[in-house]
Amino acid sequence: MIGTMEKIDEIDHKILACLQKDGAISQRDLAERVGLSQNACWRRLQRLNASGLIRGTHADIDLAALGYDLTVFVMIRTRHHSKEWADNFRKHVERMPEVTDFYRIGGDWDYLIKVVTRGMSGYDAFYQKLITNFDLATVTGFFSMEAIIENRAADLSRLR
């Protein structure tokens, strides 16, 4: 396991940057782009995967083209802060397929949930499931009109 940033060198950074842009890049093309043999590139990929720095490969799917045209950022404030309540709430939210992102946050709010659904009726159905059997102090939704920057790859050059 990679424990410190010192063990991540320039070539590892190049590999990670290439994979962020195109997770389906062939190993041959990746090796060529970063200046390694295919075997050396494969070994580095294995090490980066084993370390947890690479957490999988995903396709970027246009959900709106599939009819999931409403994105809502749901802010939640609760009166409950016990570990047991938080664990139960986490399990409750994880069971909802409309949730694409879920964060426990600091500040005036306790949780932020990103929901992608089919229109307002889809959001209302999600909302009804969300509040069922959970005492939430405040729930508010912010409706996205346009994604200006979404799923941007992190600028790994600033980590060097």
Side-chain angles (χ1 to χ4, degrees), residues 33-103:
R33 284 192 194 167
V34 301
L36 291 175
S37 70
Q38 275 190 258
N39 285 340
C41 186
W42 180 85
R43 285 190 299 274
R44 283 182 182 253
L45 281 171
Q46 295 303 306
R47 184 173 55 86
L48 291 168
N49 275 294
S51 75
L53 281 172
I54 298 173
R55 296 186 301 196
T57 304
H58 311 278
D60 185 11
I61 299 182
D62 183 352
L63 293 176
L66 295 173
Y68 297 92
D69 58 348
L70 181 63
T71 300
V72 184
F73 297 92
V74 181
M75 304 293 293
I76 297 171
R77 191 176 293 128
T78 180
R79 292 180 270 281
H80 307 279
H81 298 281
S82 72
K83 180 170 176 13
E84 179 184 1
W85 188 93
D87 288 345
N88 287 332
F89 185 61
R90 174 185 304 241
K91 290 173 189 167
H92 177 62
V93 172
E94 286 175 342
R95 285 190 293 268
M96 294 184 221
E98 303 90 346
V99 174
T100 62
D101 297 276
F102 179 35
Y103 303 92

